[in-house]
């Protein structure tokens, strides 16, 4: 248990992204945990008046429980920086980079982090020819929670080339990231503070680990800890922690992987780093923490404690510079 003083915490949740319902669930869980520990909580369902409501609340710290844009892409972080607020999770620059899968690759691959190849393509080009040999994956460049992901296979029903009438992310986004499909297992590793927690394997009951599979009870089996070779588990934790540090993540993050289990460690690829992972009852960070003896209120307080520590360190640096 952390040794936090009694605080006034504004829990920022909701918003208008496609992940609004998940954010509301995360935020309410966080708010209740903080109240359980004796903190005063102001719940803020983010609207266009969010700056005014935060200014009126005058919290000691903001717990950012938003998912997707604009709460996870640097927009809200920049606003809170201008307001001089202390807030949880990653800052502006990290959030801008990590929400964008292509920018994440540019930041991490030169440092030896294994990530799939691929390229950003104009949606219109998909109706003419495949950008990569099938099977391949198409995903929005800057959405989370597997929103808008499609796996294009030789025997799939999207058409060849993809039909304009086929339901898929090409009907919503002007450009998409195309990556080779990596067969094998879906793995994920959480980082809390400066510690990689453990590895979970995700086994969707149908299809793949998309938005519905993530947030619908019973649709995905979580094998925690994952039943994988020790060297692969250690590689997941090492890559997740390195990515967390290289991107400058704060509080907690979650790294998602595909592992081709026919290739050993060489078959492990980082897909993305989520800087504001879910805090719902089905979410992976609370689950991994629980397996390590960290209960949900302890997890929430640990994230708040790191935000306060980072703010104090920044203030000390500024004072020293002055």
């Amino acid at each position: 248990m952390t040794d936090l003083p009694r605080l006034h915490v504004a829990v920022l949740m909701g918003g208008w992204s496609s992940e609004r319902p998940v954010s509301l669930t995360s935020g309410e869980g966080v708010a209740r945990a903080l109240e359980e520990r004796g903190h005063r909580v102001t719940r803020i369902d983010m609207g266009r008046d969010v700056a005014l409501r935060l200014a009126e609340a005058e919290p000691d710290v903001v717990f950012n429980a938003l998912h997707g844009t604009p709460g996870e892409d640097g927009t809200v972080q920049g606003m809170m920086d201008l307001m001089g607020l202390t807030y949880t999770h990653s800052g502006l620059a990290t959030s801008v980079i990590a929400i964008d899968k292509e920018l994440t690759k540019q930041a991490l691959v030169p440092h030896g982090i294994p990530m799939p190849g691929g390229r950003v393509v104009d949606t219109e080009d998909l109706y003419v020819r495949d950008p990569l040999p099938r099977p391949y994956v198409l995903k929005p460049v800057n959405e989370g929670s597997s929103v808008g992901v499609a796996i294009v296979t030789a025997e799939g029903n999207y058409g060849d080339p993809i039909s304009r009438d086929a339901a898929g992310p090409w009907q919503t986004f002007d450009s998409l990231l195309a990556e080779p499909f990596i067969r094998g297992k879906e793995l994920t590793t959480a980082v809390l503070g400066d510690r990689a927690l453990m590895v979970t394997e995700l086994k969707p009951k149908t299809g793949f680990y998309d938005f519905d599979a993530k947030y619908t009870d019973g649709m995905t089996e979580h094998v925690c800890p994952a039943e994988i070779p020790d060297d692969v588990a250690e590689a997941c934790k090492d890559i997740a922690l390195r990515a967390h540090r290289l991107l400058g993540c704060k509080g907690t993050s979650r790294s998602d992987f595909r592992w081709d289990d026919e290739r050993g460690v060489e078959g492990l690829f980082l897909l993305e780093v989520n800087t504001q992972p879910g805090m719902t009852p089905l979410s992976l960070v609370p689950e991994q923490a629980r397996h390590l003896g960290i209960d949900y209120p302890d997890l929430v307080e640990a994230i708040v404690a790191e935000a306060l520590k980072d703010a104090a360190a920044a203030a000390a640096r500024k004072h020293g510079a002055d």
Side-chain angles (χ1 to χ4, degrees), residues 249-318:
C249 298
K250 302 294 183 183
T252 186
S253 69
R254 193 194 70 242
S255 290
D256 296 335
F257 299 87
R258 289 288 293 182
W259 177 48
D260 183 342
D261 53 355
E262 294 180 353
R263 297 178 56 196
V265 173
E266 295 300 314
L268 185 64
F269 295 90
L270 174 67
L271 299 181
E272 63 179 317
V273 177
N274 187 326
T275 57
Q276 285 168 219
M279 295 288 285
T280 75
L282 298 180
S283 295
L284 294 151
V285 174
E287 181 179 58
Q288 291 191 5
R290 189 167 60 250
H291 275 271
L292 293 171
I294 306 168
D295 68 17
Y296 188 88
D298 280 347
L299 172 63
V300 172
E301 284 201 323
I303 294 169
V304 171
E306 175 147 344
L308 294 173
K309 181 184 73 175
D310 289 340
R317 288 194 299 271
K318 183 177 186 299

Side-chain angles (χ1 to χ4, degrees), residues 60-315:
D60 298 311
V61 60
V62 179
F63 194 108
N64 187 352
L66 295 165
H67 303 314
T69 57
E72 199 170 352
D73 66 353
T75 303
V76 165
Q77 288 79 4
M79 176 197 71
M80 291 194 288
D81 285 342
L82 285 172
M83 296 178 69
L85 294 170
T86 298
Y87 57 91
T88 65
H89 298 79
S90 299
L92 189 157
T94 297
S95 301
V96 168
I97 294 169
I99 195 72
D100 187 303
K101 297 176 180 68
E102 191 65 12
L103 287 178
T104 301
K105 287 184 184 182
Q106 292 172 16
L108 296 181
V109 171
H111 293 275
I113 302 293
M115 300 185 75
R119 58 191 178 90
V120 177
V121 297
D122 291 334
T123 296
E124 285 294 317
D125 293 343
L126 299 172
Y127 308 132
V128 179
R129 66 184 68 83
D130 285 330
L132 299 172
R134 298 190 182 196
Y136 62 91
V137 180
L138 290 171
K139 60 182 74 171
V141 176
N142 55 4
E143 288 279 349
S145 286
S146 300
V147 172
V149 176
I151 300 174
V152 182
T153 63
E155 63 277 3
N157 58 3
Y158 294 136
D160 188 6
I162 292 172
S163 168
R164 291 179 185 272
D165 297 329
W170 40 85
Q171 294 183 329
T172 306
F173 301 95
D174 293 332
S175 62
L176 293 163
L177 178 62
E179 293 178 340
F181 174 74
I182 300 166
R183 62 159 305 281
K185 301 178 183 293
E186 195 97 21
L187 305 174
T188 192
T189 295
V191 173
L192 177 62
D194 202 38
R195 173 192 181 192
L197 299 185
M198 58 198 315
V199 185
T200 300
E201 181 185 354
L202 306 162
K203 293 183 174 181
K205 301 294 177 65
T206 58
F208 69 105
Y209 192 54
D210 60 7
F211 185 89
D212 290 336
K214 285 186 178 184
Y215 300 115
T216 305
D217 197 4
M219 284 190 66
T220 299
E221 177 187 359
H222 294 186
V223 182
C224 182
E227 296 169 352
I228 58 177
D230 288 346
D231 61 341
V232 176
E234 287 305 311
C236 279
K237 291 195 288 185
D238 175 66
I239 292 168
L241 186 55
R242 287 170 59 207
H244 181 95
R245 290 170 174 169
L246 286 165
L247 291 172
C249 298
K250 302 294 183 183
T252 186
S253 69
R254 193 194 70 242
S255 290
D256 296 335
F257 299 87
R258 289 288 293 182
W259 177 48
D260 183 342
D261 53 355
E262 294 180 353
R263 297 178 56 196
V265 173
E266 295 300 314
L268 185 64
F269 295 90
L270 174 67
L271 299 181
E272 63 179 317
V273 177
N274 187 326
T275 57
Q276 285 168 219
M279 295 288 285
T280 75
L282 298 180
S283 295
L284 294 151
V285 174
E287 181 179 58
Q288 291 191 5
R290 189 167 60 250
H291 275 271
L292 293 171
I294 306 168
D295 68 17
Y296 188 88
D298 280 347
L299 172 63
V300 172
E301 284 201 323
I303 294 169
V304 171
E306 175 147 344
L308 294 173
K309 181 184 73 175
D310 289 340

Side-chain angles (χ1 to χ4, degrees), residues 11-23:
V11 178
L12 196 54
M13 63 179 103
W16 49 85
S17 81
S18 57
E19 299 176 69
R20 171 180 169 81
V22 182
S23 173

